[in-house]
Amino acid sequence: DAGITQSPRYKITETGRQVTLMCHQTWSHSYMFWYRQDLGHGLRLIYYSAAADITDKGEVPDGYVVSRSKTENFPLTLESATRSQTSVYFCASREMGSWLNEQFFGPGTRLTVL
Amino acid sequence: DAKTTQPPSMDCAEGRAANLPCNHSTISGNEYVYWYRQIHSQGPQYIIHGLKNNETNEMASLIITEDRKSSTLILPHATLRDTAVYYCIVRVGNSGGSNYKLTFGKGTLLTVNP
């Protein structure tokens, strides 16, 4: 199916464990983004990528690692999960050349760290 | 990017027009006004954007004041499915360089009542 998908949709893990959240888009968009959403903070940018093998930090990158070996995938890894990383995570993508600059968001992953 | 101010919540009767205000008094000449919305438990969804002229699409209309210091998103015939948090975002609208980020505030929770 065309679009942007995230997996898993729900994840419960324990403090200290490594967790990887997956994001896949079928449009071949150049830009991809990871946001987290917490009550009282709205959406905050964690990391972004302008193209394969090009990534950079957003507002709240600490504790997260990303990679982008293929244009269509942008996994987010929590190397050692903490309770403060309990959140809803959204992946998004957009086309670099688009004048519209619209970002398309995935359905989100709800992560709980116990 | 310029900061925006929105009321935290609004109510609207089903079938009536919903007018959502946004103040962006520090907007620069090259900054666009974007609107996104987020229905509960879903990813944000693009609605509309504009620079200085009023804009209309199949979802909504955007009215920007002549001095560009404020704008109003209009949903002409609100339905129950329009209940969501609406985000007004101001940012530079070019498609390249580092101007890719969307900075989400807390938005306005619009509740459409039957």
Side-chain angles (χ1 to χ4, degrees):
Chain A
D1 290 337
I4 184 165
T5 57
Q6 294 183 235
S7 61
R9 294 294 313 281
Y10 301 90
K11 176 73 176 178
I12 299 175
T13 191
E14 295 177 338
T15 301
R17 290 191 178 267
Q18 183 180 81
V19 177
T20 296
L21 309 184
M22 303 301 295
C23 179
H24 175 79
Q25 51 104 355
T26 61
W27 297 301
S28 298
H29 284 169
S30 298
Y31 282 96
M32 296 189 74
F33 308 85
W34 274 107
Y35 295 86
R36 61 177 289 174
Q37 186 170 37
D38 308 290
L39 281 175
H41 288 282
L43 282 107
R44 292 181 290 175
L45 183 65
I46 304 171
Y47 268 96
Y48 65 93
S49 168
D53 298 322
I54 301 174
T55 62
D56 209 343
K57 298 177 180 179
E59 302 171 67
V60 288
D62 293 342
Y64 304 94
V65 174
V66 293
S67 61
R68 188 134 179 242
S69 57
K70 293 183 178 181
T71 300
E72 60 267 29
N73 297 323
F74 191 37
L76 176 74
T77 298
L78 289 67
E79 292 190 304
S80 179
T82 65
R83 290 195 180 93
S84 65
Q85 292 176 309
T86 292
S87 187
V88 181
Y89 291 85
F90 289 101
C91 177
S93 72
R94 64 170 278 262
E95 178 52 54
M96 180 176 69
S98 169
W99 179 246
L100 187 61
N101 287 344
E102 174 184 352
Q103 283 191 24
F104 295 88
F105 284 80
T109 294
R110 185 174 294 274
L111 176 68
T112 302
V113 183
L114 301 177
Chain B
D1 294 338
K3 289 191 63 175
T4 61
T5 303
Q6 299 177 253
S9 64
M10 294 183 64
D11 287 317
C12 176
E14 189 177 19
R16 304 296 294 270
N19 297 282
L20 293 96
C22 180
N23 182 287
H24 32 79
S25 58
T26 60
I27 193 170
S28 301
N30 63 346
E31 288 183 312
Y32 283 68
V33 179
Y34 287 76
W35 284 84
Y36 278 73
R37 74 178 182 183
Q38 187 174 21
I39 296 170
H40 182 62
S41 298
Q42 297 182 22
Q45 176 190 25
Y46 166 84
I47 300 173
I48 198 168
H49 77 287
L51 181 61
K52 53 185 177 182
N53 297 320
N54 298 337
E55 302 288 344
T56 295
N57 63 19
E58 64 277 6
M59 290 183 68
S61 295
L62 174 60
I63 308 298
I64 303 173
T65 58
E66 191 169 344
D67 63 8
R68 304 210 322 123
K69 293 184 177 181
S70 65
S71 60
T72 301
L73 179 75
I74 301 173
L75 307 179
H77 305 286
T79 70
L80 299 179
R81 288 175 294 179
D82 292 321
T83 293
V85 177
Y86 287 77
Y87 297 98
C88 171
I89 301 165
V90 172
R91 52 156 293 196
V92 178
N94 67 353
S95 56
S98 62
N99 298 309
Y100 44 77
K101 291 187 291 184
L102 287 175
T103 302
F104 288 81
K106 297 184 179 178
T108 296
L109 173 60
L110 174 69
T111 302
V112 181
N113 300 305

